[in-house]
Coordinates of all heavy atoms in Angstrom, one line a residue:
M1 N 0.8 -1.2 0.0 CA 0.0 0.0 0.0 C 0.9 1.3 0.0 O 1.9 1.3 0.7 CB -0.9 0.0 1.2 CG -1.8 1.2 1.3 SD -2.8 1.2 2.8 CE -4.3 0.7 2.0
Y2 N 0.5 2.2 -0.7 CA 1.2 3.5 -0.9 C 1.1 4.3 0.4 O 0.1 4.4 0.9 CB 0.7 4.3 -2.1 CG 1.3 5.6 -2.2 CD1 2.6 5.8 -2.7 CD2 0.5 6.7 -1.9 CE1 3.1 7.1 -2.9 CE2 1.1 8.0 -2.0 CZ 2.3 8.2 -2.5 OH 2.8 9.4 -2.6
D3 N 2.2 4.8 0.9 CA 2.2 5.6 2.1 C 3.0 6.9 1.8 O 4.2 6.8 1.9 CB 2.7 4.8 3.3 CG 2.8 5.6 4.6 OD1 2.4 6.8 4.6 OD2 3.2 5.0 5.6
E4 N 2.4 8.0 1.6 CA 3.2 9.2 1.2 C 4.1 9.7 2.4 O 5.0 10.4 2.1 CB 2.2 10.3 0.9 CG 1.3 10.9 1.9 CD 0.4 11.9 1.5 OE1 -0.1 11.8 0.3 OE2 0.0 12.8 2.3
N5 N 3.9 9.2 3.6 CA 4.7 9.6 4.7 C 6.0 8.9 4.7 O 7.0 9.2 5.3 CB 4.1 9.4 6.0 CG 2.9 10.3 6.3 OD1 2.9 11.5 5.9 ND2 1.8 9.8 6.8
R6 N 6.2 7.8 3.9 CA 7.3 7.0 3.8 C 8.2 7.3 2.6 O 9.3 6.8 2.4 CB 7.0 5.5 3.7 CG 6.0 5.0 4.8 CD 6.7 4.4 5.9 NE 7.5 3.3 5.5 CZ 8.4 2.8 6.3 NH1 8.6 3.3 7.5 NH2 9.2 1.9 5.8
I7 N 7.9 8.3 1.8 CA 8.6 8.8 0.7 C 9.7 9.6 1.2 O 9.6 10.5 2.1 CB 7.8 9.6 -0.3 CG1 6.7 8.8 -0.9 CG2 8.7 10.2 -1.4 CD1 5.7 9.5 -1.9
R8 N 11.0 9.3 0.6 CA 12.2 10.1 1.1 C 13.2 10.0 0.0 O 13.1 9.2 -0.9 CB 12.7 9.5 2.4 CG 13.2 8.1 2.2 CD 13.8 7.6 3.6 NE 14.0 6.2 3.5 CZ 15.2 5.8 3.0 NH1 16.1 6.5 2.5 NH2 15.5 4.4 3.0
V9 N 14.1 10.9 0.0 CA 15.2 10.9 -0.9 C 16.2 9.9 -0.5 O 16.5 9.7 0.7 CB 15.9 12.3 -0.9 CG1 17.1 12.4 -1.8 CG2 14.8 13.4 -1.3
L10 N 16.7 9.1 -1.5 CA 17.7 8.1 -1.2 C 19.0 8.7 -0.7 O 19.4 9.8 -1.3 CB 17.9 7.2 -2.4 CG 16.8 6.4 -2.9 CD1 17.2 5.6 -4.1 CD2 16.3 5.4 -1.8
T11 N 19.7 8.1 0.2 CA 21.0 8.6 0.5 C 22.0 8.2 -0.6 O 21.7 7.4 -1.4 CB 21.5 7.9 1.8 OG1 21.7 6.5 1.6 CG2 20.6 8.1 3.0
E12 N 23.1 8.8 -0.6 CA 24.1 8.5 -1.6 C 24.5 7.0 -1.6 O 24.7 6.4 -2.7 CB 25.4 9.3 -1.5 CG 26.3 9.4 -2.7 CD 25.5 10.0 -3.9 OE1 24.7 10.8 -3.8 OE2 25.8 9.4 -5.0
V13 N 24.6 6.4 -0.5 CA 24.9 5.0 -0.4 C 23.8 4.1 -1.0 O 24.0 3.2 -1.7 CB 25.2 4.5 1.1 CG1 25.3 3.1 1.3 CG2 26.4 5.3 1.5
E14 N 22.6 4.5 -0.6 CA 21.4 3.7 -1.3 C 21.3 3.9 -2.7 O 21.0 2.9 -3.5 CB 20.2 4.3 -0.6 CG 20.0 3.9 0.9 CD 18.8 4.6 1.5 OE1 18.5 5.8 1.2 OE2 18.1 3.9 2.3
K15 N 21.6 5.1 -3.3 CA 21.7 5.3 -4.7 C 22.6 4.4 -5.4 O 22.4 3.9 -6.5 CB 22.0 6.7 -5.0 CG 20.9 7.7 -4.9 CD 21.4 9.0 -5.5 CE 20.9 10.2 -4.6 NZ 21.4 11.4 -5.1
Q16 N 23.7 4.0 -4.7 CA 24.8 3.2 -5.3 C 24.4 1.8 -5.5 O 25.1 1.0 -6.1 CB 26.1 3.4 -4.6 CG 26.6 4.7 -4.6 CD 28.0 4.9 -4.0 OE1 28.7 3.9 -3.8 NE2 28.4 6.1 -3.7
S17 N 23.3 1.4 -4.9 CA 22.9 0.0 -5.1 C 21.3 -0.1 -5.3 O 20.7 -1.1 -5.1 CB 23.2 -0.8 -3.8 OG 22.6 -0.3 -2.7
H18 N 20.7 1.0 -5.7 CA 19.2 1.0 -5.8 C 18.6 0.6 -7.1 O 17.8 -0.3 -7.1 CB 18.8 2.4 -5.4 CG 17.2 2.5 -5.4 ND1 16.5 1.9 -4.5 CD2 16.4 3.2 -6.3 CE1 15.2 2.1 -4.8 NE2 15.1 2.9 -5.8
S19 N 19.1 1.2 -8.2 CA 18.5 0.9 -9.5 C 19.4 1.0 -10.6 O 20.5 1.5 -10.4 CB 17.4 1.8 -9.8 OG 17.9 3.1 -10.0
V20 N 19.1 0.4 -11.7 CA 20.0 0.4 -12.9 C 20.3 1.9 -13.2 O 21.5 2.3 -13.4 CB 19.4 -0.3 -14.1 CG1 20.2 -0.1 -15.3 CG2 19.3 -1.8 -13.8
D21 N 19.3 2.8 -13.2 CA 19.5 4.1 -13.6 C 20.4 4.8 -12.7 O 21.3 5.6 -13.1 CB 18.1 4.9 -13.7 CG 17.3 4.4 -14.9 OD1 17.8 3.9 -15.8 OD2 16.0 4.6 -14.8
S22 N 20.2 4.7 -11.4 CA 21.0 5.4 -10.4 C 22.5 4.9 -10.5 O 23.4 5.7 -10.5 CB 20.5 5.4 -9.0 OG 20.4 4.1 -8.5
I23 N 22.7 3.6 -10.6 CA 24.0 3.0 -10.7 C 24.7 3.5 -12.0 O 25.8 3.9 -12.0 CB 24.0 1.5 -10.6 CG1 23.6 1.1 -9.1 CG2 25.3 0.9 -11.0 CD1 23.4 -0.4 -8.9
L24 N 23.9 3.5 -13.1 CA 24.5 3.9 -14.4 C 24.9 5.3 -14.3 O 26.0 5.6 -14.8 CB 23.4 3.6 -15.5 CG 23.9 4.1 -16.9 CD1 25.2 3.4 -17.3 CD2 22.8 3.8 -17.9
S25 N 24.1 6.2 -13.7 CA 24.5 7.5 -13.6 C 25.8 7.7 -12.9 O 26.7 8.5 -13.3 CB 23.4 8.3 -12.9 OG 23.7 9.7 -12.7
I26 N 26.0 7.0 -11.8 CA 27.2 7.1 -11.0 C 28.4 6.6 -11.8 O 29.5 7.2 -11.9 CB 27.0 6.3 -9.7 CG1 26.1 7.1 -8.8 CG2 28.4 6.2 -9.0 CD1 25.6 6.2 -7.6
L27 N 28.2 5.4 -12.5 CA 29.3 4.8 -13.3 C 29.7 5.7 -14.5 O 30.9 5.9 -14.7 CB 28.9 3.5 -13.8 CG 28.7 2.3 -12.8 CD1 28.1 1.0 -13.4 CD2 29.9 2.1 -12.0
L28 N 28.8 6.3 -15.1 CA 29.1 7.3 -16.2 C 29.9 8.4 -15.8 O 30.8 8.8 -16.4 CB 27.8 7.7 -16.9 CG 27.0 6.7 -17.8 CD1 25.7 7.2 -18.2 CD2 27.9 6.3 -19.0
D29 N 29.6 8.9 -14.5 CA 30.4 10.0 -14.0 C 31.8 9.6 -13.6 O 32.8 10.3 -13.8 CB 29.7 10.6 -12.7 CG 28.5 11.4 -13.0 OD1 28.3 11.8 -14.3 OD2 27.7 11.7 -12.2
K30 N 31.9 8.4 -12.9 CA 33.2 7.8 -12.5 C 34.1 7.3 -13.6 O 35.3 7.5 -13.5 CB 32.9 6.7 -11.5 CG 32.4 7.1 -10.2 CD 32.3 6.0 -9.3 CE 33.6 5.8 -8.4 NZ 33.4 4.9 -7.3
Y31 N 33.5 6.8 -14.7 CA 34.3 6.2 -15.7 C 33.8 6.7 -17.1 O 33.3 5.9 -17.9 CB 34.1 4.6 -15.7 CG 34.4 4.1 -14.3 CD1 33.5 3.6 -13.4 CD2 35.7 4.0 -13.9 CE1 33.8 3.1 -12.2 CE2 36.1 3.5 -12.7 CZ 35.1 3.1 -11.8 OH 35.4 2.5 -10.6
P32 N 34.0 8.0 -17.4 CA 33.6 8.6 -18.6 C 34.2 8.1 -19.9 O 33.6 8.2 -21.0 CB 33.9 10.1 -18.4 CG 35.0 10.1 -17.4 CD 34.8 9.0 -16.5
S33 N 35.3 7.5 -19.8 CA 36.0 6.9 -20.9 C 35.5 5.5 -21.3 O 36.0 4.9 -22.2 CB 37.5 7.0 -20.8 OG 37.9 6.2 -19.8
T34 N 34.7 4.9 -20.4 CA 34.2 3.5 -20.6 C 32.9 3.6 -21.4 O 32.1 4.5 -21.2 CB 34.0 2.9 -19.3 OG1 35.2 2.9 -18.5 CG2 33.5 1.4 -19.4
S35 N 32.7 2.6 -22.3 CA 31.6 2.6 -23.2 C 30.3 2.6 -22.4 O 30.0 1.9 -21.4 CB 31.6 1.3 -24.0 OG 30.3 0.9 -24.5
P36 N 29.4 3.6 -22.7 CA 28.1 3.6 -22.0 C 27.3 2.3 -22.1 O 26.6 1.9 -21.2 CB 27.4 4.8 -22.7 CG 28.4 5.6 -23.3 CD 29.6 4.7 -23.6
D37 N 27.4 1.7 -23.3 CA 26.7 0.4 -23.4 C 27.3 -0.7 -22.4 O 26.5 -1.4 -21.8 CB 26.9 -0.2 -24.8 CG 26.1 0.6 -25.8 OD1 25.1 1.3 -25.5 OD2 26.5 0.6 -27.1
H38 N 28.5 -0.7 -22.2 CA 29.1 -1.6 -21.3 C 28.7 -1.3 -19.9 O 28.3 -2.2 -19.1 CB 30.7 -1.6 -21.4 CG 31.3 -2.4 -20.3 ND1 31.3 -3.8 -20.3 CD2 32.0 -2.0 -19.2 CE1 32.0 -4.2 -19.2 NE2 32.4 -3.2 -18.6
L39 N 28.7 0.0 -19.6 CA 28.3 0.4 -18.2 C 26.9 0.1 -17.9 O 26.5 -0.2 -16.8 CB 28.7 1.9 -17.9 CG 30.2 2.2 -17.9 CD1 30.3 3.7 -17.7 CD2 30.9 1.5 -16.8
T40 N 26.0 0.2 -18.9 CA 24.6 -0.2 -18.8 C 24.5 -1.6 -18.4 O 23.8 -2.0 -17.5 CB 23.8 0.1 -20.1 OG1 23.9 1.6 -20.4 CG2 22.4 -0.3 -20.0
R41 N 25.3 -2.5 -19.1 CA 25.2 -3.9 -18.8 C 25.8 -4.1 -17.4 O 25.3 -4.9 -16.6 CB 26.0 -4.7 -19.8 CG 25.2 -4.7 -21.1 CD 25.8 -5.7 -22.1 NE 27.2 -5.4 -22.5 CZ 27.6 -4.6 -23.5 NH1 26.7 -4.0 -24.2 NH2 28.8 -4.4 -23.7
V42 N 26.8 -3.4 -17.0 CA 27.4 -3.5 -15.6 C 26.3 -3.2 -14.6 O 26.2 -3.9 -13.6 CB 28.6 -2.6 -15.5 CG1 29.0 -2.5 -14.0 CG2 29.8 -3.2 -16.3
A43 N 25.6 -2.0 -14.9 CA 24.6 -1.7 -13.9 C 23.5 -2.7 -13.8 O 23.0 -3.0 -12.7 CB 24.0 -0.3 -14.3
E44 N 23.1 -3.3 -14.9 CA 22.1 -4.4 -14.9 C 22.6 -5.5 -14.1 O 21.9 -6.1 -13.3 CB 21.7 -4.8 -16.3 CG 21.0 -3.8 -17.1 CD 20.9 -4.2 -18.6 OE1 21.2 -5.3 -19.0 OE2 20.4 -3.3 -19.4
C45 N 23.8 -5.9 -14.3 CA 24.5 -7.0 -13.5 C 24.4 -6.7 -12.0 O 24.0 -7.6 -11.2 CB 25.9 -7.3 -14.0 SG 26.8 -8.5 -13.1
L46 N 24.9 -5.6 -11.7 CA 24.9 -5.2 -10.3 C 23.6 -5.3 -9.6 O 23.4 -5.8 -8.5 CB 25.6 -3.8 -10.1 CG 27.0 -3.7 -10.5 CD1 27.5 -2.3 -10.5 CD2 27.9 -4.5 -9.7
V47 N 22.6 -4.7 -10.3 CA 21.2 -4.7 -9.7 C 20.8 -6.1 -9.6 O 20.1 -6.5 -8.7 CB 20.3 -3.8 -10.5 CG1 18.8 -4.0 -10.1 CG2 20.7 -2.3 -10.3
T48 N 21.0 -7.0 -10.6 CA 20.5 -8.3 -10.6 C 21.0 -9.1 -9.3 O 20.1 -9.9 -8.8 CB 21.1 -9.1 -11.8 OG1 20.6 -8.5 -13.0 CG2 20.8 -10.5 -11.8
F49 N 22.1 -8.8 -8.9 CA 22.7 -9.5 -7.6 C 22.5 -8.7 -6.4 O 23.0 -9.2 -5.4 CB 24.1 -9.9 -7.9 CG 24.2 -10.9 -9.0 CD1 24.8 -10.5 -10.2 CD2 23.7 -12.2 -8.9 CE1 24.9 -11.4 -11.3 CE2 23.8 -13.1 -10.0 CZ 24.4 -12.7 -11.2
G50 N 21.9 -7.6 -6.5 CA 21.8 -6.7 -5.3 C 23.1 -6.0 -4.9 O 23.2 -5.7 -3.7
W51 N 23.9 -5.9 -5.8 CA 25.2 -5.2 -5.5 C 25.2 -3.8 -5.9 O 24.2 -3.3 -6.4 CB 26.3 -5.9 -6.3 CG 26.5 -7.4 -6.0 CD1 26.1 -8.0 -4.8 CD2 27.2 -8.4 -6.8 NE1 26.4 -9.4 -5.0 CE2 27.1 -9.5 -6.1 CE3 27.8 -8.3 -8.1 CZ2 27.6 -10.7 -6.7 CZ3 28.3 -9.4 -8.6 CH2 28.3 -10.7 -7.9
G52 N 26.2 -3.1 -5.6 CA 26.3 -1.7 -5.9 C 27.6 -1.2 -6.6 O 28.4 -2.1 -7.0
V53 N 27.8 0.0 -6.7 CA 28.9 0.6 -7.4 C 30.3 0.1 -6.8 O 31.3 -0.1 -7.5 CB 28.9 2.1 -7.4 CG1 30.2 2.8 -8.0 CG2 27.7 2.6 -8.2
A54 N 30.2 -0.1 -5.5 CA 31.4 -0.5 -4.7 C 32.0 -1.8 -5.3 O 33.2 -2.1 -5.4 CB 31.2 -0.7 -3.2
E55 N 31.1 -2.8 -5.7 CA 31.5 -4.0 -6.3 C 32.3 -3.8 -7.6 O 33.2 -4.5 -7.9 CB 30.3 -5.0 -6.4 CG 30.0 -5.8 -5.2 CD 29.2 -4.9 -4.2 OE1 28.7 -3.8 -4.5 OE2 29.0 -5.4 -3.1
Y56 N 31.7 -2.9 -8.5 CA 32.3 -2.7 -9.7 C 33.7 -2.0 -9.5 O 34.7 -2.3 -10.2 CB 31.5 -1.8 -10.7 CG 32.0 -1.7 -12.0 CD1 32.3 -2.8 -12.9 CD2 32.5 -0.5 -12.5 CE1 32.8 -2.6 -14.1 CE2 33.0 -0.3 -13.8 CZ 33.1 -1.4 -14.6 OH 33.7 -1.3 -15.8
D57 N 33.7 -1.0 -8.6 CA 35.0 -0.5 -8.2 C 36.1 -1.5 -7.8 O 37.3 -1.5 -8.3 CB 34.9 0.5 -7.1 CG 34.0 1.8 -7.5 OD1 33.9 2.0 -8.7 OD2 33.6 2.4 -6.6
A58 N 35.7 -2.4 -7.0 CA 36.6 -3.5 -6.6 C 37.0 -4.4 -7.7 O 38.1 -4.9 -7.8 CB 35.9 -4.4 -5.4
Y59 N 36.0 -4.7 -8.6 CA 36.3 -5.5 -9.8 C 37.3 -4.8 -10.7 O 38.3 -5.5 -11.1 CB 35.0 -5.7 -10.6 CG 35.2 -6.5 -11.9 CD1 35.2 -7.9 -11.9 CD2 35.3 -5.8 -13.1 CE1 35.4 -8.6 -13.0 CE2 35.6 -6.5 -14.3 CZ 35.6 -7.8 -14.3 OH 35.8 -8.5 -15.4
R60 N 37.2 -3.6 -10.9 CA 38.2 -2.8 -11.7 C 39.6 -2.8 -11.0 O 40.6 -2.8 -11.7 CB 37.7 -1.5 -12.0 CG 36.6 -1.4 -13.1 CD 36.1 0.0 -13.4 NE 37.1 0.8 -14.0 CZ 37.1 1.2 -15.2 NH1 36.1 0.9 -16.0 NH2 38.1 2.0 -15.7
A61 N 39.5 -2.7 -9.7 CA 40.8 -2.6 -8.9 C 41.4 -4.0 -8.7 O 42.5 -4.1 -8.3 CB 40.5 -2.0 -7.5
G62 N 40.7 -5.1 -9.1 CA 41.2 -6.4 -8.9 C 41.1 -6.9 -7.5 O 41.8 -7.9 -7.1
T63 N 40.3 -6.3 -6.7 CA 40.1 -6.7 -5.3 C 38.7 -7.3 -5.0 O 38.5 -7.6 -3.8 CB 40.3 -5.5 -4.4 OG1 39.4 -4.4 -4.7 CG2 41.7 -4.9 -4.6
L64 N 37.9 -7.5 -6.0 CA 36.6 -8.2 -5.8 C 36.8 -9.6 -5.4 O 37.7 -10.3 -6.0 CB 35.7 -8.1 -7.0 CG 34.3 -8.6 -6.9 CD1 33.5 -7.7 -5.9 CD2 33.6 -8.5 -8.3
G65 N 36.1 -10.1 -4.4 CA 36.2 -11.5 -4.1 C 35.9 -12.5 -5.2 O 35.2 -12.1 -6.1
E66 N 36.7 -13.6 -5.2 CA 36.7 -14.5 -6.3 C 35.2 -15.0 -6.6 O 34.9 -15.1 -7.8 CB 37.5 -15.7 -6.0 CG 37.7 -16.7 -7.1 CD 38.3 -16.0 -8.4 OE1 39.0 -15.0 -8.4 OE2 38.1 -16.7 -9.4
E67 N 34.4 -15.3 -5.6 CA 33.1 -15.7 -5.9 C 32.2 -14.7 -6.6 O 31.5 -15.0 -7.6 CB 32.4 -16.1 -4.5 CG 31.0 -16.7 -4.7 CD 30.4 -17.2 -3.4 OE1 31.2 -17.7 -2.5 OE2 29.2 -17.0 -3.2
K68 N 32.3 -13.4 -6.2 CA 31.6 -12.4 -6.9 C 32.1 -12.2 -8.3 O 31.4 -12.0 -9.2 CB 31.6 -11.0 -6.1 CG 30.7 -11.1 -4.9 CD 30.6 -9.7 -4.3 CE 29.6 -9.7 -3.1 NZ 29.5 -8.4 -2.5
R69 N 33.4 -12.2 -8.4 CA 34.0 -12.1 -9.8 C 33.6 -13.2 -10.7 O 33.2 -12.8 -11.8 CB 35.6 -12.1 -9.7 CG 36.3 -11.7 -11.0 CD 37.7 -12.0 -10.9 NE 38.0 -13.4 -11.0 CZ 37.9 -14.2 -12.0 NH1 37.5 -13.6 -13.2 NH2 38.1 -15.4 -12.0
Q70 N 33.5 -14.4 -10.3 CA 33.1 -15.5 -11.1 C 31.6 -15.3 -11.4 O 31.2 -15.6 -12.5 CB 33.4 -16.8 -10.4 CG 34.8 -17.2 -10.4 CD 35.0 -18.5 -9.7 OE1 34.2 -19.2 -9.3 NE2 36.3 -19.0 -9.7
T71 N 30.8 -14.8 -10.5 CA 29.4 -14.6 -10.8 C 29.3 -13.5 -11.8 O 28.4 -13.7 -12.7 CB 28.7 -14.1 -9.4 OG1 28.9 -15.2 -8.5 CG2 27.2 -13.9 -9.7
M72 N 30.0 -12.4 -11.7 CA 29.9 -11.4 -12.8 C 30.3 -11.9 -14.1 O 29.7 -11.7 -15.1 CB 30.8 -10.2 -12.4 CG 30.3 -9.3 -11.3 SD 31.3 -7.8 -11.1 CE 30.8 -6.8 -12.4
V73 N 31.4 -12.6 -14.1 CA 31.9 -13.2 -15.5 C 30.8 -14.2 -16.0 O 30.5 -14.1 -17.2 CB 33.2 -13.9 -15.3 CG1 33.6 -14.8 -16.5 CG2 34.3 -12.9 -14.9
A74 N 30.2 -15.0 -15.2 CA 29.2 -15.9 -15.7 C 28.0 -15.2 -16.1 O 27.4 -15.6 -17.2 CB 28.8 -16.9 -14.5
W75 N 27.6 -14.1 -15.5 CA 26.5 -13.3 -15.9 C 26.7 -12.7 -17.3 O 25.9 -12.8 -18.2 CB 26.1 -12.2 -14.9 CG 24.9 -11.4 -15.2 CD1 23.7 -11.7 -14.7 CD2 24.8 -10.3 -16.0 NE1 22.8 -10.8 -15.1 CE2 23.4 -9.9 -15.9 CE3 25.7 -9.4 -16.7 CZ2 22.9 -8.8 -16.6 CZ3 25.2 -8.4 -17.4 CH2 23.9 -8.0 -17.3
F76 N 27.9 -12.2 -17.5 CA 28.3 -11.5 -18.8 C 28.4 -12.7 -19.9 O 27.9 -12.4 -21.0 CB 29.6 -10.7 -18.7 CG 29.3 -9.3 -18.3 CD1 29.5 -9.0 -16.9 CD2 28.9 -8.4 -19.2 CE1 29.2 -7.6 -16.5 CE2 28.7 -7.1 -18.8 CZ 28.8 -6.7 -17.4
T77 N 29.0 -13.7 -19.6 CA 29.1 -14.9 -20.5 C 27.6 -15.3 -21.0 O 27.4 -15.5 -22.2 CB 29.8 -16.0 -20.0 OG1 31.1 -15.5 -19.5 CG2 30.0 -17.2 -20.9
E78 N 26.8 -15.5 -20.0 CA 25.4 -15.9 -20.3 C 24.6 -14.8 -21.1 O 24.0 -15.1 -22.2 CB 24.6 -16.2 -19.1 CG 23.2 -16.7 -19.3 CD 22.5 -17.0 -18.0 OE1 23.1 -17.7 -17.2 OE2 21.3 -16.6 -17.9
R79 N 24.8 -13.6 -20.8 CA 24.2 -12.5 -21.5 C 24.7 -12.3 -22.9 O 23.9 -12.2 -23.9 CB 24.4 -11.2 -20.7 CG 24.0 -9.9 -21.3 CD 22.6 -9.6 -20.9 NE 22.3 -8.4 -21.5 CZ 21.4 -7.5 -21.1 NH1 20.7 -7.9 -20.0 NH2 21.1 -6.5 -21.7
N80 N 26.1 -12.4 -23.1 CA 26.7 -12.4 -24.4 C 26.2 -13.5 -25.3 O 25.9 -13.3 -26.5 CB 28.1 -12.3 -24.3 CG 28.6 -10.9 -23.8 OD1 27.8 -9.9 -23.8 ND2 29.8 -10.9 -23.2
S81 N 26.1 -14.7 -24.7 CA 25.6 -15.9 -25.4 C 24.2 -15.7 -25.9 O 23.8 -16.0 -27.0 CB 25.8 -17.1 -24.6 OG 25.3 -18.3 -25.2
A82 N 23.3 -15.2 -25.0 CA 21.9 -15.0 -25.3 C 21.8 -14.0 -26.5 O 20.9 -14.1 -27.4 CB 21.1 -14.5 -24.1
Q83 N 22.6 -12.9 -26.5 CA 22.6 -12.0 -27.5 C 23.0 -12.5 -28.9 O 22.5 -12.1 -29.9 CB 23.4 -10.7 -27.2 CG 22.8 -9.9 -26.0 CD 23.6 -8.7 -25.7 OE1 24.8 -8.7 -25.9 NE2 23.0 -7.7 -25.0
R84 N 24.0 -13.5 -28.9 CA 24.5 -14.0 -30.1 C 23.4 -14.9 -30.7 O 23.1 -14.9 -31.9 CB 25.8 -14.8 -29.9 CG 26.9 -14.0 -29.9 CD 28.2 -15.0 -30.0 NE 28.3 -15.8 -28.8 CZ 29.0 -15.4 -27.7 NH1 29.6 -14.3 -27.7 NH2 29.1 -16.2 -26.7
W85 N 22.6 -15.6 -29.9 CA 21.5 -16.5 -30.4 C 20.4 -15.6 -30.9 O 19.6 -16.1 -31.8 CB 21.1 -17.4 -29.3 CG 22.0 -18.5 -29.0 CD1 22.9 -18.6 -28.0 CD2 22.2 -19.7 -29.9 NE1 23.6 -19.8 -28.1 CE2 23.2 -20.5 -29.3 CE3 21.6 -20.1 -31.1 CZ2 23.6 -21.6 -29.8 CZ3 22.1 -21.2 -31.6 CH2 23.1 -22.0 -31.1
A86 N 20.1 -14.4 -30.3 CA 19.1 -13.6 -30.7 C 19.4 -12.9 -32.1 O 18.4 -12.5 -32.7 CB 18.8 -12.5 -29.7
A87 N 20.6 -12.8 -32.4 CA 21.0 -12.1 -33.6 C 20.7 -12.9 -34.8 O 20.5 -13.9 -35.0 CB 22.4 -11.6 -33.5

């Protein structure tokens, strides 16, 4: 049920793991030389697993835990495979 008293502005931390749009906006600002299409897929991946910008930062720095790194790689592999079959 909708409750107008519960509406609030998300904190910066919440924005970093809230939605594809908010994550994408942050990623585009942080990594302007990276392909927007790639960052869109990254944002989708992060939201799929309930992760945020911090996980992508760790991935880029090479400090993301092995389990999460493998999960990201598997997600991208599956996504890329599905796109090839759709073409």
Side-chain angles (χ1 to χ4, degrees):
M1 176 180 261
Y2 174 75
D3 179 359
E4 66 184 32
N5 294 323
R6 307 264 307 161
I7 295 174
R8 63 184 174 79
V9 175
L10 296 175
T11 67
E12 197 59 38
V13 170
E14 289 170 323
K15 281 189 221 175
Q16 292 185 22
S17 62
H18 181 67
S19 72
V20 171
D21 289 339
S22 61
I23 289 175
L24 178 58
S25 176
I26 293 165
L27 292 176
L28 288 169
D29 287 343
K30 288 182 91 166
Y31 305 105
S33 62
T34 302
S35 161
D37 290 338
H38 173 71
L39 292 178
T40 298
R41 289 190 300 274
V42 168
E44 291 171 9
C45 176
L46 295 173
V47 168
T48 297
F49 297 109
W51 301 340
V53 174
E55 278 78 9
Y56 186 63
D57 292 341
Y59 176 82
R60 286 182 63 114
T63 59
L64 186 65
E66 186 60 22
E67 187 175 323
K68 284 186 176 182
R69 190 193 68 75
Q70 287 180 358
T71 300
M72 282 184 85
V73 169
W75 187 91
F76 273 95
T77 300
E78 183 177 315
R79 174 91 179 203
N80 291 337
S81 177
Q83 287 178 343
R84 278 193 294 269
W85 284 104

